[in-house]
C-alpha cells in the first residue's frame, strides 16, 4: 500500500464534490484531508500509482493539486 500526499486548493465546502470525483476515479482507495494545514493536504492510500490521475482530474475540476515529496 502506498500513501500519496498532495498540496491542494480544496476548501471544506469542496469536500463533497472532491469525494465524488475520487470515488469515481479510485473507488478502492482510501483518502482523507487535513484542511487545517496551510497546504490543504489530501492523503490517498492506494495500491496503484494515482498521482497523475488525481492531479489531472482535480485540475480539470478547478482545483490546484501537486504531489508533495
Amino acid at each position: 500500500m502506498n500513501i500519496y500526499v498532495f498540496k491542494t486548493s480544496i476548501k471544506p465546502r469542496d469536500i463533497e464534490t472532491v469525494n465524488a470525483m475520487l470515488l469515481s476515479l479510485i473507488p478502492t482507495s482510501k483518502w482523507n484531508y487535513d484542511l487545517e494545514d496551510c497546504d490543504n493536504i489530501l492523503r490517498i492510500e492506494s495500491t496503484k500509482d494515482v498521482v497523475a490521475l488525481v492531479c489531472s482530474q482535480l485540475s480539470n475540476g478547478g482545483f490546484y493539486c501537486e504531489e508533495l515529496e
Side-chain angles (χ1 to χ4, degrees):
M1 194 64 68
N2 298 309
I3 297 177
Y4 302 96
V5 181
F6 301 90
K7 176 180 180 176
T8 73
S9 64
I10 297 169
K11 304 289 184 216
R13 67 177 179 266
D14 304 319
I15 288 178
E16 189 174 320
T17 300
V18 175
N19 281 345
M21 292 170 70
L22 294 175
L23 188 58
S24 68
L25 285 174
I26 50 174
T28 60
S29 299
K30 297 178 184 178
W31 57 86
N32 62 59
Y33 307 91
D34 183 359
L35 302 182
E36 299 288 322
D37 186 276
C38 66
D39 290 332
N40 295 334
I41 298 296
L42 166 63
R43 285 183 197 86
I44 298 176
E45 186 177 321
S46 181
T47 56
K48 59 183 179 176
D49 185 348
V50 297
V51 173
L53 180 64
V54 169
C55 285
S56 173
Q57 289 299 313
L58 286 180
S59 179
N60 288 342
F63 299 100
Y64 173 80
C65 182
E66 171 190 354
E67 183 184 21
L68 294 177
E69 300 292 323

